[in-house]
Amino acid sequence: MTAVAHTSYGALRGDVRSPVVVFRGVPYAAAPTHERRWRPPQPMQGWTGVRAATDFGSIAPQNISPERLAKRGLTMSEDCLTLNIWTPAVDDNRRPVLVFLHGGGQTQGYGSAPLLDGARLARRGDIVVVTMNFRLGVLGTLYAPDRHGAGSTNLTLRDQRHALQWVREEIAAFGGDPAAITVAGQSSGAVAISALLAGGCDLFDRAILQSGGLERVRSTAAASAVAEQILSTGVRTCDGEPGVEEILAAQRGIDTGFVPPQGPFHPCIDGDVIDEHPLVRAQTRDLPPTPILAGTTRDEWRIFDAALDDDIFSEQYVRDRAQALAGADRDADAVVATYRAVQPTMRGVAAAMVTDYHFTAPTEQFVRAHAERGNTVFRYELQWSSPRAGLGACHDSCLALVFGNLDAAPALAGNDGAARRMSEAVQDRWLEFVRGAEPWERYDGAGGSTMLLGPESAIARGHRAEQLAIWEGRYPAYG
């Protein structure tokens, strides 16, 4: 069986073998190849007849082995600007729309990942779910306007913005409401949303930020330094265009950091797409008055520390980590003592500090400023633990719960009856927000309400204020 959607570019044939209709590999812009490599996304040409939209498009170039590509049935190409749509029906209904931006440090990931399959969420909520691919790494973030001209910066953000414009204009053909679009993103996807908001983007009506390291937006100087490192490897990006493999090889040579986490391929302050750091913009000027649901998992960083042996976490190691995070002008012993009061082990202290520095504190600062300017904010902390010992409520576990695809990554959140019930509870909260309702009590600023999502979900006020206060003003990338 098939279903046909009629867009302004031409007709698309979807796949109805699942409980919902799926349109895969839908192009939203012309291929960013050849003379379009370092240019903003360009409108695509229309077509005649009915175009098949039953296979996922190629993923963006990224460092992934050929064996893994083959195992997952993936292809990789610069011609990657496609999106995927799950809809309960191709009809004239106007269903709320959820557009999801994948994470991966803006160097990895793709919208067709099994964890992001939108079928369960679309069916449960009677909504339209959209995922997308966009340029990544050097091809999406190289800051070299002197070489490539105006419009060559923040190409990842430009792709995402172009896709959101496409959704606004075309989603009615898939049973969606163009006036009820929520954009959601996890990890670097959430960072991108904060940058789009800082740039005044008004192509969505609500926003969900999951586990975003919002401090990772780079200064112009930092972005220029990365570009110099890339160009110093011998990669030519103007005369004599390099191949994708050459670019990826140069990208592998850039230090992405561990503690503190670095973001060499995240958005930068380019004076065009964004002219001010999102945290600074939120605190000093109005963002678009977009309702925001935002939060983190309780133990984000534990999954990144999981490969380290317990004996690494000596008092000196943890103190050194505290100093690296807090800065040379801060008392590292006092930072450690604050976390020792709430963490039973030194491993726990080490992970909790990075969780707050990199995820929780910048997210809280961003939405606090938004709320204190009179905007609608709902804040959460996910406390559902992974069944794998030591991971707790780790990074990425929110994905399995929100999309309901627990079988795609059972180590993240489990795949038993309790995990299913937790997933349904999280989905119900997210769906309320997507529909324009209030999923719990609003967060109104410092000391306000935070929903703790777990086996016993409850509202807390002033949640972990003592720990989060350590990181006020501690983000040197603002320059």
Side-chain angles (χ1 to χ4, degrees):
M1 297 176 63
T2 60
V4 176
H6 296 274
T7 75
S8 59
Y9 297 93
L12 289 163
R13 183 178 72 251
D15 185 346
V16 296
R17 288 176 292 180
S18 73
V20 297
V21 185
V22 187
F23 294 84
R24 304 181 181 93
V26 178
Y28 64 84
T33 55
H34 305 298
E35 71 279 0
R36 290 191 292 267
R37 174 182 270 181
W38 305 108
R39 306 306 305 153
Q42 301 298 309
M44 61 186 171
Q45 297 296 314
W47 59 86
T48 58
V50 179
R51 178 174 181 154
T54 53
D55 296 319
F56 288 119
S58 296
I59 69 172
Q62 53 197 275
N63 283 302
I64 181 172
S65 71
E67 293 77 19
R68 188 177 176 192
L69 281 171
K71 182 178 179 180
R72 299 192 175 188
L74 300 170
T75 59
M76 189 167 71
S77 170
E78 287 186 80
D79 184 4
C80 63
L81 302 186
T82 61
L83 45 79
N84 313 297
I85 303 167
W86 290 263
T87 179
V90 178
D91 55 24
D92 292 329
N93 286 348
R94 290 293 181 265
R95 298 175 180 83
V97 180
L98 176 65
V99 181
F100 193 84
L101 308 183
H102 70 74
Q106 213 160 282
T107 62
Q108 296 178 305
Y110 42 93
S112 57
L115 200 57
L116 306 184
D117 186 293
R120 286 189 173 97
L121 192 56
R123 179 180 57 183
R124 179 176 176 81
D126 191 32
I127 66 171
V128 178
V129 177
V130 181
T131 65
M132 67 177 78
N133 293 336
F134 33 80
R135 282 174 279 187
L136 298 172
V138 171
L139 290 167
T141 65
L142 186 70
Y143 182 76
D146 291 343
R147 289 173 177 264
H148 299 137
S152 66
T153 58
N154 279 323
L155 293 175
T156 300
L157 292 182
R158 295 177 195 269
D159 289 348
Q160 293 164 343
R161 197 169 57 182
H162 194 91
L164 287 165
Q165 182 69 53
W166 190 99
V167 171
R168 186 76 96 181
E169 294 172 355
E170 305 294 340
I171 204 64
F174 302 86
D177 186 352
I181 295 173
T182 299
V183 64
Q186 187 263 351
S187 198
S188 61
V191 178
I193 293 172
S194 75
L196 290 169
L197 285 168
C201 184
D202 61 357
L203 295 172
F204 45 88
D205 306 287
R206 283 169 287 280
I208 300 175
L209 282 67
Q210 300 174 206
S211 300
L214 305 191
E215 93 288 0
R216 273 190 165 184
V217 173
R218 302 172 297 154
S219 67
T220 307
S224 296
V226 171
E228 288 176 9
Q229 290 181 66
I230 291 290
L231 297 174
S232 70
T233 65
V235 170
R236 301 298 179 189
T237 59
C238 187
D239 297 325
E241 285 294 323
V244 168
E245 288 304 320
E246 189 177 0
I247 290 173
L248 292 177
Q251 183 173 307
R252 287 193 295 271
I254 301 299
D255 181 13
T256 59
F258 186 63
V259 176
Q262 303 299 311
F265 303 107
H266 277 71
C268 73
I269 300 167
D270 62 353
D272 184 359
V273 181
I274 25 176
D275 61 5
E276 197 167 26
H277 196 287
L279 293 180
V280 174
R281 171 67 187 263
Q283 292 166 355
T284 59
R285 292 193 287 151
D286 287 335
L287 297 169
T290 307
I292 294 176
L293 184 155
T296 56
T297 72
R298 182 190 59 208
D299 308 302
E300 297 274 6
W301 197 255
R302 285 196 189 181
I303 197 167
F304 301 102
D305 275 348
L308 302 179
D309 294 334
D310 283 339
D311 57 8
I312 287 177
F313 295 96
S314 65
E315 290 197 16
Q316 186 60 51
Y317 177 89
V318 175
R319 186 189 184 283
D320 290 345
R321 179 177 284 195
Q323 198 74 76
L325 293 168
D329 59 333
R330 305 288 184 94
D331 184 345
D333 291 326
V335 172
V336 173
T338 301
Y339 280 91
R340 283 296 299 269
V342 293
Q343 290 290 334
T345 67
M346 295 305 283
R347 176 187 279 272
V349 170
M353 290 189 301
V354 193
T355 290
D356 285 349
Y357 169 88
H358 183 46
F359 296 104
T360 316
T363 296
E364 192 276 336
Q365 291 172 27
F366 185 73
V367 298
R368 181 207 312 163
H370 197 56
E372 290 177 348
R373 289 178 176 272
N375 298 297
T376 300
V377 170
F378 303 97
R379 184 179 170 219
Y380 74 89
E381 180 178 276
L382 181 63
Q383 299 190 329
W384 180 259
S385 291
S386 162
R388 181 176 162 188
L391 291 187
C394 63
H395 195 62
D396 288 345
S397 59
C398 60
L399 294 175
L401 296 171
V402 169
F403 282 89
N405 298 319
L406 300 175
D407 51 342
L412 288 177
N415 193 20
D416 57 9
R420 289 284 169 195
R421 289 189 292 275
M422 187 72 240
S423 175
E424 290 172 357
V426 170
Q427 286 182 334
D428 288 345
R429 303 278 192 174
W430 263 235
L431 289 166
E432 283 188 65
F433 181 75
V434 168
R435 294 189 187 107
E438 301 205 353
W440 57 78
E441 185 179 318
R442 293 187 185 188
Y443 174 74
D444 57 6
S449 302
T450 298
M451 172 58 74
L452 307 182
L453 293 165
E456 301 295 333
S457 295
I459 287 286
R461 291 177 174 81
H463 183 56
R464 295 200 299 106
E466 186 176 2
Q467 288 79 39
L468 297 185
I470 292 171
W471 313 110
E472 289 289 332
R474 175 61 192 115
Y475 297 109
Y478 284 1

